Amino acid sequence: MSLAEEVELLRRIPMFTNVETSKLKLLAFTSERVAFHAGDVLFHQNEMGSSAFIIVAGEADVMVDTPNGPLTVAKVGRNDFIGEIAILCDVPRTASVVAVTDMTTLCISKDLFFRMVTEFPQMAVEIMRVLAQRLENTTRQLREAVAHSASHPM
Amino acid sequence: MEKSIFRFVLRYSTRQQVVVLVLTLLSFPFLYYSLELPKQIVNDAIGGQNFPKEFFGFEFEQVPYLMLLSGMFLVLVVINGVFKFRINTLKGRLGERMLRRLRYELYIRVLRFPLPRFRKVSQGEIIPMITAEVEPLGGFIGDSIALPVFQGGTLLVYLVFIFMQDPILGAAAVSLYPFQGWLIPRLQRKVNQLGKQRVRAMRQISDRIGESVSGVSEIHAHDTSAWHLADIAHRYGDVYDIRFEIFQRKFFIKFLNNFINQLTPFFFYSIGGYLVIKGSISFGSLVAVLAAYKDLAGPWKELLDYYQAKEDIRIKYEQVIEQFDVPELMPAALLASDADPNTRLTAPMVFSNVGFGEENGPKILDGVSCTLPLDGHTALVGGAGRDEFAMLAARLLMPTAGRIRVGDQDLSHLPEAVTGRRIAYVGQNSYMFTASLRDNLYYGLRHRPLTLEEGDDRAAERLRRAKEAKEAGNTDFSLDADWIDYVSAGCDGPESLRKRTLAILGMVDLADDVYRLGLNGTLENDTNEDVVTRILEARAALRAELAQPSMRSLVEIWHPERFNNNATVAENLLFGSPVGPVFSVDAMAENAYVLEVLQKVDLTRDFLTMGVQVARTMIELFADLPPGHQFFEQFSFISSEELPDFQPMVAKADKDGVDSLKPEEKRRMMALPFKLIPARHRLGLIDDGMERRLLEARHTFARDLPDSLRASVEFFVEDRYNTASTIQDNILFGKVAYGQAQTGGKVGRLVAQVIDELQLRETIQEIGLDHYVGVSGSRLSRVQRQKVALARALLKNPDLLVINEATAGLDGASQTRIHDAILEERKGKGVVWVLHRPSMARRFAQTLVLRSGQIAEHGSYQELDKPGTVMHELLAAE
């Protein structure tokens, strides 16, 4: 896959939709393309992370460890951006990600990610937007969950 | 050392000086006769009468007589020449030997300096003293006795001759000598003082330059270059003033001398002429005296020059000697005497009332009394004086008060052959010598030459050199010998030392580092057939591993008929490793042969087009970044300085086509595609067609390679070891693939697995030991240097190991590992460990707590760790 195609892929990711083409090209050029086989682990929960991934092709399960064994909490696929929390706030990985199919990803190292964000504030704004949206989702889910448990007291 | 150069000369070279002198005197009659003979030829043979003449009982007619005398003249010329040649050679050799002796003596003194001395005298001063400042001494020493005797003798002969002609004229000829003899030294004295000043100023300059070199990062960090420039300019100015003053005075002395020398003929003409007119002396004698006086000028001038040179040299010698003649020098015998290889220190080391402090300085240690068992471990914690305590125990410092004993022996009186072999010391900043890692590890075992390989062809040469070294008072220890003291290391030969070295590398946590160095190392000219074979076996084994489906994509193997997407275009073209700079990636586009190959396969234009495309992409990607941005170094093909140059070139190529570029611009464009790694850069420039044509270029390159370039590339051959590549590359025989998850780690593990299966790890570590550590170990990290120093000390197998906070720079985990390993290794043997963290003292049998240069407490950790003790305070503060 050539650089031009990767740029097109990046463009389809919401976070990058509004970023200039030349910046996306730089991001694609300076990040590494990494392939995973089905069953490979992209990263493990509680490890310290040093990179985030953009899924170019393939699917993966997001799993968290529970007392009853690993639990799949979400599925991620093409165009999803994963692993950014660990590099944004220096916490261990909050979940494991396991490839379900063969995958191709763009691996963005922490250094590179921060440099891009500081270099191009526009991108930082986009990332904020995505994160805020996620926060909003999570808050809504929490609200619903609380409402649910309130209406069905144990 | 001898206080004056003449004492030095007489003490070490009297015999040779006499030989030179005798030869000089022997040459005298021949010289004299060769001056006399021409007169005889002219007067007797050519202008003479009364033939035949008698010569040694034979009679000669005029022409044979002329031939005889001319023949004799030729013989004399040869004899004089041979004399001169021999005498000069002897003088030269004498001077060189004495110079060598002096330098050697000075170097010994440096080794005998007590350590505190090095705080007062800098490297920048010592080096020029031993090298440059004493250099002129050699030339002078050869002449020091022969010249004054010879020239003085000549002078005397002429004087006698003049006096015999006429006492009054003789008196006139020498009348000014007393005056000259009185005046010149007086004038010279001032020049001498200036000379001293000059030497001192030059030393300070070399000291300053040395300082600037050592502290260059500080200069740049603080923008102080202007200050340093001003400082050095000021000092150069001082030297200039001194030298100019010297010139003025020196040339004034010369002028005065010449004037006085001309004054005498004035007397001859006036007084002598008057005497001739009055009839007191004959005209003939006046002419003879005048001629003799002319000859007088030569030796007299030589003597005066000699005097000036002598004064110059005398000062140089004295000024150098005074720097090396320090009173507190370590006794020579401590350094020189050897010890029995089986000497061991076993009795406890006892400090009684030991004090240490610099002259007129505060006492750093005062009244320290303690016992350090050499079969157990002692920890030292606390405040000031720790360094000094450790260095006293290792006999690097000598106590200024009190005594340190081992058994019934005073530590200060033990030769270094005992203390340096039986005690090891590791400080916080260990020095690495500019050599291989192995040399640095074995450094602590190089005490004396042990065995020489017998009967090799250099034996005679070695003997000659040893004899010559003795003549100059140097040591005749051979550098060719095996210097490694296996016995004191507790080994019985190279093989067991090798085993022990590897074991110790494990102890100090250096085994992996050395393994990695080995993987990145190269073999010297495939000397070791066995190693080569086994590395090729590893290559085959790795290939088998890589054949598994899950591993297949990790490494892209070199294949002569396949393009390697994970290698640069340059590597693909060469299909080999460049040897030297000829075919290095950066030089490819400038190499005439490479360009010729591209031309042959009709790729020149494609490279140019690709170059423009690469440049265009680079401009698009990087033009907005500020210059010097990290991305340039990490990712760009073009540096930030060059990028602006490429912008107009690309614009021009886009507008008028690539042909419109100038040759120089074309060359710069063509250099770009060589660096392209298709799998990494993903610029989509190398398609299948291009791959095919590059393969064609690869074949053409190898086929037509002229013999003169054959040594500049070593091709990849499936079953042959490539000496230009690293061990790792030889095992991989391919490139680690880009774009696979964690390939680096996986490939590393795979290589390690193969290496372990073939039991190659030790071999690789051996190769790692050949790693060159750089100037003072600069190619090792600080942590690695400390580990090497610890390994070096352990390898010595000492009776007492003194460690002075040597592990402070290491991370916590490896600190614990190394401490465990060392204490385990040293079980039942002496250890004194100055700890940077008091809590580590828990594992030592005895702990000494220093406070204000005195031992405040001692005992076991349990005894000391209770409220109210100094130890408790220290632990609380940790």
Side-chain angles (χ1 to χ4, degrees):
Chain A
M1 188 181 304
S2 78
L3 204 57
E5 291 170 286
E6 278 168 19
V7 170
E8 273 319 299
L9 273 168
L10 284 176
R11 168 146 335 283
R12 282 184 225 136
I13 298 170
M15 191 182 298
F16 299 123
T17 316
N18 294 328
V19 176
E20 284 170 48
T21 312
S22 66
K23 304 289 177 268
L24 285 184
K25 214 167 182 173
L26 183 61
L27 181 66
F29 185 71
T30 49
S31 59
E32 205 184 330
R33 196 162 58 118
V34 181
F36 292 91
H37 296 290
D40 279 357
V41 180
L42 276 71
F43 49 78
H44 289 279
Q45 187 176 345
N46 296 329
E47 267 179 1
M48 288 310 288
S50 60
S51 47
F53 297 86
I54 295 165
I55 300 175
V56 174
E59 281 177 13
D61 281 344
V62 180
M63 304 169 103
V64 288
D65 294 336
T66 66
N68 310 324
L71 176 73
T72 305
V73 291
K75 282 195 172 293
V76 285
R78 194 179 159 110
N79 297 347
D80 279 336
F81 189 48
I82 50 173
E84 79 287 3
I85 294 177
I87 63 171
L88 270 175
C89 47
D90 268 327
V91 292
R93 299 289 193 194
T94 50
S96 302
V97 175
V98 182
V100 179
T101 62
D102 282 359
M103 292 176 75
T104 306
T105 62
L106 273 183
C107 171
I108 302 177
S109 73
K110 187 169 160 177
D111 284 354
L112 178 62
F113 181 74
F114 272 107
R115 241 176 273 143
M116 294 299 286
V117 169
T118 24
E119 214 69 60
F120 311 116
Q122 197 184 357
M123 225 168 89
V125 173
E126 287 301 325
I127 290 169
M128 265 196 275
R129 200 198 307 281
V130 172
L131 288 178
Q133 224 154 41
R134 279 199 204 158
L135 180 64
E136 209 282 313
N137 279 342
T138 320
T139 319
R140 187 167 31 95
Q141 280 166 2
L142 180 68
R143 202 165 47 224
E144 281 166 7
V146 170
H148 182 75
S149 58
S151 58
H152 301 278
M154 277 191 271
Chain B
M1 269 185 102
E2 287 65 30
K3 295 279 178 222
S4 92
I5 178 130
F6 277 97
R7 267 188 237 160
F8 178 71
V9 166
L10 286 176
R11 172 148 179 208
Y12 294 111
S13 67
T14 310
R15 203 174 53 81
Q16 286 137 304
Q17 296 282 3
V18 168
V19 172
V20 171
L21 189 61
V22 167
L23 268 182
T24 312
L25 294 178
L26 276 181
S27 74
F28 220 60
F30 295 98
L31 188 65
Y32 183 80
Y33 195 53
S34 72
L35 294 175
E36 191 61 30
L37 202 57
K39 219 188 308 171
Q40 225 180 331
I41 293 174
V42 174
N43 293 343
D44 292 2
I46 302 172
Q49 271 118 31
N50 311 326
F51 288 96
K53 294 211 179 215
E54 206 184 279
F55 192 83
F56 282 108
F58 297 95
E59 298 215 323
F60 289 93
E61 287 301 323
Q62 184 166 20
V63 172
Y65 187 59
L66 174 67
M67 289 305 142
L68 173 75
L69 291 186
S70 305
M72 277 171 61
F73 178 75
L74 197 62
V75 171
L76 278 175
V77 167
V78 173
I79 291 176
N80 283 329
V82 171
F83 261 115
K84 206 162 198 168
F85 172 67
R86 281 304 300 159
I87 292 171
N88 282 340
T89 317
L90 274 178
K91 278 189 198 166
R93 193 175 72 175
L94 170 60
E96 276 314 307
R97 278 188 184 155
M98 292 296 279
L99 187 60
R100 183 177 175 183
R101 177 187 293 273
L102 180 64
R103 282 186 172 146
Y104 184 74
E105 182 63 30
L106 294 177
Y107 182 70
I108 289 190
R109 301 234 149 197
V110 173
L111 297 184
R112 283 172 59 199
F113 279 170
L115 295 192
R117 169 92 188 149
F118 289 101
R119 282 185 219 151
K120 291 179 207 149
V121 51
S122 77
Q123 198 179 343
E125 287 177 299
I126 292 179
I127 295 169
M129 279 193 266
I130 302 184
T131 53
E133 282 185 30
V134 296
E135 182 77 36
L137 265 59
F140 175 77
I141 289 172
D143 275 335
S144 60
I145 293 182
L147 190 134
V149 171
F150 177 73
Q151 299 294 355
T154 317
L155 191 71
L156 215 60
V157 170
Y158 286 127
L159 280 177
V160 168
F161 176 77
I162 293 175
F163 269 96
M164 271 163 46
Q165 298 295 320
D166 188 291
I168 301 172
L169 278 181
V174 297
S175 59
L176 288 172
Y177 282 8
F179 175 64
Q180 266 175 301
W182 169 83
L183 181 67
I184 303 299
R186 263 164 191 71
L187 293 173
Q188 183 68 36
R189 203 167 299 153
K190 180 69 193 165
V191 176
N192 292 351
Q193 276 168 7
L194 288 168
K196 276 192 186 178
Q197 281 180 24
R198 185 182 68 85
V199 169
R200 227 171 288 137
M202 277 319 287
R203 264 184 214 161
Q204 278 164 4
I205 285 173
S206 64
D207 183 34
R208 283 304 160 117
I209 295 173
E211 238 189 346
S212 306
V213 170
S214 314
V216 71
S217 51
E218 299 293 326
I219 296 180
H220 294 306
H222 299 290
D223 179 33
T224 48
S225 57
W227 190 81
H228 283 275
L229 288 173
D231 178 61
I232 208 91
H234 183 74
R235 284 168 194 278
Y236 286 165
D238 288 348
V239 171
Y240 169 83
D241 286 346
I242 296 172
R243 289 214 89 142
F244 188 65
E245 175 104 32
I246 291 178
F247 289 148
Q248 276 184 320
R249 288 178 182 269
K250 225 177 182 167
F251 294 134
F252 179 68
I253 295 175
K254 276 228 161 99
F255 158 75
L256 212 61
N257 262 328
N258 287 340
F259 177 71
I260 295 172
N261 286 344
Q262 293 305 311
L263 212 56
T264 315
F266 163 78
F267 288 127
F268 283 156
Y269 293 131
S270 52
I271 300 172
Y274 175 79
L275 289 175
V276 170
I277 292 166
K278 286 288 166 194
S280 303
I281 56 169
S282 72
F283 178 68
S285 343
L286 180 62
V287 172
V289 167
L290 272 174
Y293 184 75
K294 224 175 171 186
D295 293 333
L296 216 57
W300 179 241
K301 188 176 166 299
E302 289 278 333
L303 280 177
L304 284 174
D305 285 349
Y306 171 82
Y307 172 75
Q308 285 196 322
K310 189 207 84 177
E311 284 303 297
D312 196 35
I313 295 293
R314 184 177 63 82
I315 291 160
K316 283 211 170 100
Y317 181 84
E318 282 166 17
Q319 275 196 308
V320 169
I321 294 304
E322 72 184 11
Q323 290 300 318
F324 289 83
D325 229 2
V326 289
E328 65 273 32
L329 276 186
M330 187 200 283
L334 287 193
L335 214 62
S337 46
D338 201 357
D340 186 277
N342 296 314
T343 312
R344 296 282 178 276
L345 300 178
T346 45
M349 182 180 281
V350 180
F351 281 51
S352 10
N353 270 316
V354 169
F356 183 82
E358 277 181 60
E359 244 178 295
N360 313 322
K363 288 228 167 208
I364 298 166
L365 285 175
D366 194 13
V368 170
S369 296
C370 60
T371 302
L372 309 172
L374 296 195
D375 56 358
H377 302 170
T378 304
L380 187 77
V381 297
R386 291 180 298 178
D387 287 350
E388 286 75 12
F389 185 94
M391 290 171 94
L392 282 167
R395 227 284 298 275
L396 292 172
L397 295 175
M398 304 267 197
T400 48
R403 258 180 216 303
I404 305 173
R405 286 177 199 277
V406 180
D408 54 357
Q409 287 169 304
D410 190 325
L411 191 64
S412 315
H413 298 154
L414 281 176
E416 224 159 71
V418 175
T419 60
R421 293 179 207 182
R422 304 318 313 158
I423 303 176
Y425 173 87
V426 189
Q428 295 144 31
N429 283 307
S430 305
Y431 192 80
M432 294 290 118
F433 291 85
T434 311
S436 71
L437 188 55
R438 185 194 314 275
D439 287 336
N440 271 294
L441 284 168
Y442 292 172
Y443 179 76
L445 301 174
R446 288 177 200 282
H447 309 300
R448 293 291 185 275
L450 294 174
T451 50
L452 266 179
E453 279 171 41
E454 293 297 330
D456 68 29
D457 50 349
R458 285 193 298 162
E461 168 68 3
R462 245 189 331 251
L463 217 61
R464 184 193 70 75
R465 291 194 62 129
K467 193 164 158 287
E468 186 53 50
K470 281 266 183 223
E471 286 284 349
N474 284 205
T475 178
D476 61 348
F477 289 155
S478 170
L479 268 184
D480 293 340
D482 187 356
W483 280 71
I484 294 170
D485 188 350
Y486 301 103
V487 178
S488 84
C491 300
D492 54 13
E495 181 55 27
S496 68
L497 182 64
R498 193 182 70 86
K499 286 237 153 59
R500 174 136 175 90
T501 308
L502 293 179
I504 285 176
L505 287 181
M507 284 177 212
V508 299
D509 216 4
L510 203 61
D512 285 345
D513 297 41
V514 173
Y515 166 75
R516 268 191 295 277
L517 291 175
L519 275 184
N520 288 314
T522 51
L523 277 183
E524 300 279 324
N525 311 321
D526 56 6
T527 34
N528 196 332
E529 274 305 318
D530 179 49
V531 174
V532 166
T533 321
R534 292 175 62 201
I535 288 171
L536 291 178
E537 275 171 38
R539 182 188 289 181
L542 185 81
R543 185 70 56 84
E545 291 291 332
L546 287 174
Q548 297 172 37
S550 63
M551 303 289 182
R552 191 163 291 154
S553 47
L554 290 180
V555 177
E556 192 172 0
I557 303 289
W558 289 117
H559 190 290
E561 300 301 333
R562 235 178 269 151
F563 187 84
N564 191 324
N565 266 302
N566 290 290
T568 61
V569 168
E571 283 172 299
N572 267 296
L573 189 64
L574 280 185
F575 199 65
S577 310
V579 181
V582 180
F583 290 124
S584 71
V585 179
D586 291 324
M588 287 292 268
E590 283 163 52
N591 187 294
Y593 177 65
V594 172
L595 295 177
E596 186 192 316
V597 169
L598 291 183
Q599 193 72 51
K600 272 186 203 161
V601 295
D602 204 17
L603 267 175
T604 311
R605 209 189 154 77
D606 298 81
F607 264 63
L608 203 52
T609 325
M610 278 198 283
V612 173
Q613 276 173 284
V614 170
R616 189 185 298 122
T617 311
M618 291 304 120
I619 290 168
E620 184 186 359
L621 291 179
F622 294 108
D624 290 348
L625 293 182
H629 194 287
Q630 262 173 306
F631 278 7
F632 281 106
E633 204 170 305
Q634 276 181 291
F635 301 106
S636 179
F637 285 71
I638 306 171
S639 70
S640 55
E641 296 83 43
E642 284 183 298
L643 201 61
D645 299 353
F646 277 92
Q647 266 161 337
M649 286 195 251
V650 170
K652 194 158 129 193
D654 285 347
K655 189 158 152 270
D656 302 327
V658 289
D659 295 324
S660 65
L661 294 172
K662 293 194 201 102
E664 168 64 15
E665 293 172 334
K666 282 185 183 169
R667 193 192 55 72
R668 289 179 77 177
M669 284 297 181
M670 283 186 67
L672 298 176
F674 283 106
K675 299 180 196 167
L676 209 58
I677 301 173
R680 176 178 171 205
H681 298 118
R682 317 188 294 275
L683 293 179
L685 292 174
I686 312 281
D687 55 18
D688 291 349
M690 180 55 77
E691 284 185 12
R692 264 197 308 282
R693 295 171 67 196
L694 283 168
L695 285 177
E696 197 187 326
R698 177 193 289 181
H699 297 319
T700 312
F701 180 91
R703 194 186 61 222
D704 298 346
L705 187 68
D707 285 339
S708 58
L709 290 173
R710 208 156 284 268
S712 298
V713 56
E714 188 163 344
F715 292 114
F716 297 131
V717 181
E718 172 75 44
D719 49 5
R720 199 189 307 150
Y721 185 82
N722 188 319
T723 47
S725 302
T726 63
I727 304 282
Q728 171 151 300
D729 285 346
N730 264 293
I731 294 177
L732 287 181
F733 196 64
K735 297 297 263 189
V736 175
Y738 287 95
Q740 298 294 317
Q742 292 118 29
T743 30
K746 281 185 194 163
V747 171
R749 277 194 294 280
L750 210 54
V751 169
Q753 181 195 327
V754 165
I755 281 172
D756 287 337
E757 274 168 16
L758 289 171
Q759 285 162 351
L760 256 172
R761 185 171 281 263
E762 285 195 1
T763 311
I764 307 267
Q765 284 174 333
E766 285 278 304
I767 297 163
L769 287 179
D770 288 328
H771 177 76
Y772 173 73
V773 302
V775 177
S776 358
S778 55
R779 290 174 66 187
L780 298 179
S781 70
R782 208 183 92 81
V783 168
Q784 282 174 328
R785 284 202 291 272
Q786 283 304 101
K787 289 177 176 176
V788 172
L790 285 168
R792 170 155 85 194
L794 286 172
L795 203 56
K796 233 164 69 167
N797 192 28
D799 298 324
L800 173 63
L801 173 63
V802 183
I803 298 180
N804 182 7
E805 302 188 14
T807 55
L810 276 57
D811 67 83
S814 59
Q815 250 184 46
T816 315
R817 265 201 308 278
I818 291 175
H819 282 217
D820 287 347
I822 291 180
L823 291 179
E824 176 62 29
E825 157 72 17
R826 299 291 303 169
K827 212 170 228 174
K829 299 183 218 172
V831 173
V832 172
W833 202 318
V834 179
L835 296 171
H836 57 285
R837 277 172 36 208
S839 60
M840 291 173 174
R842 190 172 286 127
R843 315 180 34 207
F844 289 77
Q846 176 186 227
T847 300
L848 303 174
V849 184
L850 269 181
R851 169 172 272 190
S852 328
Q854 291 180 317
I855 295 201
E857 291 158 5
H858 66 97
S860 71
Y861 184 83
Q862 287 74 21
E863 288 164 13
L864 293 177
D865 182 22
K866 52 190 169 209
T869 61
V870 178
M871 183 70 176
H872 198 76
E873 276 174 45
L874 288 171
L875 283 168
E878 187 176 318

